[in-house]
Amino acid sequence: YYRCETRDKLGADACEGRSLPAGAIEEYVLEKIREELQSGEMTVAVLEELTPRIEVRSRILRAQQKAIPREIADLSAEGRRLAKQMEGARGGVRRLLDERLRDLGDKLEDAEQRLVEVERQIEALEGASATREWVAATLTDFDPMWDVMTDENRARLVGVLVDRVVVDGATGDIEIALADLAATVMDGVDPTEEEG
């Protein structure tokens, strides 16, 4: 049974929703997924929408992964040169060199943080690519795959396919909103940067 968490926490007055039979709701959700699969649009969305997005994003991230270490090396080299120049510097020149060193330190820290984020994005993209392949393969042969899936993988697949299920406690009507597969699979991957 599905139960209202608010009712469980705050009592019957806090939520009018009653317990609902899990099996019936889950079967209804599966039937809606099967209906969507009949058109083939879900599988097409996974493969045709995601493949180019993943490829473009991967090119951008790989280029950044190569460029940022060079930037870090250049900043470090400039910092070492300035540190050497500071050995004999006095007065205003020393203050200017010191200010430039602080600026370089900030830029170096920023570059290192960007590199960490790029590497996290690459890892998320690799996960998105694997999820895309798994979802597409599963959707192609949904019923046979569903029959042999573990409960954990069933929950994972439904989590990718379904955005939300809303049950009207008074009427018993069930509304199912399927997920935007492209957005769901790319979850964790920053799509904001364009290829340039």
Side-chain angles (χ1 to χ4, degrees), residues 4 35 37-38 44 65 67 79 85 100-101 104 150 156 166:
C4 175
E35 286 174 15
L37 290 174
Q38 293 298 320
V44 168
Q65 189 182 34
Q85 289 176 0
R100 178 64 184 143
L101 269 174
L104 278 174
T150 63
R156 180 177 165 217
V166 179

Side-chain angles (χ1 to χ4, degrees), residues 14-63:
C15 174
E16 295 178 10
R18 61 186 193 277
S19 295
L20 301 166
I25 292 172
E26 290 167 3
E27 191 53 45
Y28 183 75
V29 169
L30 285 176
E31 198 51 45
K32 288 298 180 188
I33 290 171
R34 286 183 181 104
E35 286 174 15
E36 284 293 321
L37 290 174
Q38 293 298 320
S39 70
E41 289 178 21
M42 273 185 150
T43 308
V44 168
V46 171
L47 295 172
E48 290 185 1
E49 290 180 30
L50 282 175
T51 300
R53 287 174 64 183
I54 287 174
E55 288 172 357
V56 166
R57 193 70 186 116
S58 181
R59 276 195 304 273
I60 293 168
L61 290 169
R62 295 291 179 193

